[in-house]
Amino acid sequence: MSRAVDRPVGIEPGLSPITGSYRQDDCQFLLTPLQAEFFSIQEKERLIQSGEKHYSEMISFESPPSEAYLTLFRNLTQRHKGRLAAEVMRLAQSIVNTRLAPITLVSLVRAGTPIGALLQRALSRHLQVDSRHYSISIIRDRGIDEQALKFLLREHRRPAAGVVFVDAWTAKGVITEELKRAIAHWNARHQEQLKDTLYVISDIGGVADIAATYEDYVIPSGILNAPVSGLISRSLLNRQIQPGQFHGCTLYEHLQQYDVSHWFLDEIEAEMDVNIVAPLPSISRGERYAQTRIYLNRWIDSYGIGDINHIKPGIAEATRVMLRRVPERLLLRDPGAEEVAHLLILAEEKGVVVEHQPNMPFNAVAFIKTIKTS
């Protein structure tokens, strides 16, 4: 009997994970490598805002980070590695306490990928738990990559009860809501029933299910793109992706000499201590959520913003705007704080207006510029 007939139902022949620059035991990406057509950031923004293309259909070329910026990343990693290691262990212990092994970590490409890899090390090396880590695509308004879910559940035969969804941070909750809808849609049509619980390091908007902290601080992996994520791009979903394939990505091989993916994992893991694991924070998610909504509505009114997706609260989201979108302005709670030094560098490079707002509940907020499309 042929292999095609033997394959689990719904799995296309030829699908296989990739690892980027990671080792396989740290991360397996369920993505389809593509030869990308690069769009300038300005053209991409115009096409998104005009409705001509969805953001997931396009990607921009990632330029190498400057030596000053890489130095800043390394310094921030050194400063926060003890804290991040403790928070990863906190999440890992929570997973062990609530899920049966074998555990399957499913991180959301791309911000969630380094955190998933750290959790994999925490579970497998420090807590001696049978676990595996996959990183898969979820896209706003397009849902999760169901082909990837089918692959890990049916091809790699990972038990549904052990699937745990992981991201680095949450802010407004857009991806959290997308995950909830996507898993409800999956569960309504498939035998394997998945829990939609989302585990994150930082939940500044009060929207995640399980969070290690609710503080807005610099998760170092959040200030770099591909060089701390296995040299993999964010995910793509365009006409290049054929039915039955995983969502797509591009491997940024030109950034190899700047790759700090392994260095980052090693630095954080070196600080992990299984004997010192604090409980999860007990503050009210509801209060944090309500406070976030108050400020979002205030900014919409005071700045005349027509699309809430153009407001990106938190250091990590603000950084992504400065690196990948066309920013209009940057709000900082304390412009002199070391936590936002990299944002000031990026703002100066791009000529972005910086405003001081000392009373807001976030360290940073960025606004995406509205582009005239007619």
Side-chain angles (χ1 to χ4, degrees), residues 198-209:
L198 180 62
Y199 291 74
V200 301
I201 294 295
S202 176
D203 179 24
I204 66 171
V207 296
D209 299 289

Side-chain angles (χ1 to χ4, degrees), residues 61-66 227 254-255 258:
F61 182 80
E62 284 191 18
S63 299
S66 68
H254 67 286
L255 297 175
Y258 307 95

